[in-house]
Amino acid sequence: MTTVIYDHKRKQVAIDSRYTRGDVIDTDKGNKVRKDSRGIWLFSGHQADFEDLMALKRNEKVEVRPECGAILIKNGCAFSVDTDDDGFCIVAKLNDSFAMGSGYQFAIAALDLGKTAKEAVNYAKTRDIYTGGRVRVFDVK
């Protein structure tokens, strides 16, 4: 899957670059970042669904839920973008630190202990087999 984390204190988002298929590493050089007119999207989940999530609007209902979530950097703020169990697109402004993906719990714990977003993802890489490769960092402001 991945690890993507928003550090509210430092206003940064960090993400790894590992793609897996089942329990096999496809690459550690993947790009889980997309840009469009709304902002910069940092994804966790199935790559094939990234564009589907990007096309949704807040509270829009879908028949088939995209199997991914994202942190969106837009207008100097960070937002969580996902779909709920009923298929509605949920967009929430992040007013606290937040993480998603298979290594989220390790990254949040590292952030709690004073690590930066990049250091938090690097720590998640040591514990989560689905997190790896290069860590990219984006400033929210």
Side-chain angles (χ1 to χ4, degrees), residues 19 34 43-54 66-68:
Y19 278 123
R34 304 289 186 273
F43 285 95
S44 170
H46 292 281
Q47 180 181 7
D49 291 345
F50 291 179
E51 305 300 323
D52 293 338
L53 186 65
M54 289 175 72
E67 292 185 42
C68 63

Side-chain angles (χ1 to χ4, degrees), residues 7-128:
D7 178 350
H8 186 67
K9 178 181 169 185
R10 294 177 183 91
K11 304 290 191 236
Q12 289 185 321
V13 181
I15 190 167
D16 73 305
S17 58
R18 175 170 286 175
Y19 278 123
T20 59
R21 199 168 2 146
D23 57 358
V24 175
I25 298 168
D26 281 339
T27 184
D28 274 341
K29 297 177 182 176
N31 182 6
K32 303 171 187 180
V33 180
R34 304 289 186 273
K35 294 179 185 179
D36 70 3
S37 62
R38 290 164 64 187
I40 301 170
W41 299 74
L42 296 96
F43 285 95
S44 170
H46 292 281
Q47 180 181 7
D49 291 345
F50 291 179
E51 305 300 323
D52 293 338
L53 186 65
M54 289 175 72
L56 295 177
K57 293 181 175 43
R58 181 187 313 245
N59 296 324
E60 182 177 353
K61 184 171 172 61
V62 294
E63 294 291 321
V64 179
R65 290 179 58 196
E67 292 185 42
C68 63
I71 293 178
L72 171 63
I73 300 172
K74 174 182 173 181
N75 299 329
C77 297
F79 299 84
S80 168
V81 183
D82 209 341
T83 52
D84 66 14
D85 291 339
D86 296 320
F88 288 96
C89 180
I90 306 299
V91 180
K93 184 177 180 184
L94 297 174
N95 295 312
D96 294 297
S97 294
F98 176 81
M100 63 174 54
S102 55
Y104 84 92
Q105 67 273 48
F106 303 115
I108 282 291
L111 207 66
D112 287 346
L113 293 171
K115 301 295 185 188
T116 65
K118 182 176 185 172
E119 291 169 335
V121 174
N122 276 322
Y123 177 69
K125 287 169 36 176
T126 70
R127 293 290 178 194
D128 175 42

